[in-house]
Amino acid sequence: MVFDKDPSAGSPVGDALCHERHGKIDAAMDRYLERIEQLEVCTVKLTQVIERYDAQLAAHESRICGLEQKPAQNTARLLWYAVCALMGAVAAVVAEYLTV
């Protein structure tokens, strides 16, 4: 077994192979670090896009609510006009009745 040997006797694999593998691992870690940094930048950009879309969505929602309330406002206005016309007709009838 490899672990039974004296650690000061050197590596059973060989120092050159260890250095080569260590270099490959370091290169891979550098690539992974670059990729992680790129992903962090992308995450920040996506967060900003999402925040902007949330603000636009809130603005659109308020506009849609305003548009949805217009028919109700028009109906209330029409009802008010009808009541005013009815009151004017009643006033005209009363005025006609009093003048006769």
Side-chain angles (χ1 to χ4, degrees):
M1 188 172 200
V2 176
F3 299 112
D4 293 338
K5 294 185 179 181
D6 184 19
S8 63
S11 172
V13 178
D15 288 337
L17 185 59
C18 283
H19 288 299
E20 180 184 340
R21 288 182 181 171
H22 186 64
K24 288 181 181 179
I25 291 172
D26 283 344
M29 289 299 150
D30 289 340
R31 287 191 310 269
Y32 294 148
L33 181 62
E34 288 175 18
R35 185 67 180 145
I36 289 171
E37 289 172 354
Q38 290 173 354
L39 289 173
E40 287 175 348
V41 170
C42 288
T43 303
V44 169
K45 288 180 182 179
L46 285 174
T47 302
Q48 292 171 349
V49 168
I50 289 171
E51 289 172 355
R52 189 173 59 239
Y53 284 159
D54 284 343
Q56 287 178 350
L57 183 63
H60 290 312
E61 186 175 333
S62 67
R63 287 181 55 217
I64 288 172
C65 286
L67 291 173
E68 288 175 344
Q69 291 174 357
K70 277 208 177 233
Q73 292 171 350
N74 291 340
T75 304
R77 190 176 308 141
L78 182 63
L79 182 62
W80 176 250
Y81 292 154
V83 168
C84 288
L86 183 62
M87 291 177 71
V90 168
V93 169
V94 168
E96 182 68 28
Y97 177 74
L98 292 177
T99 59
V100 174

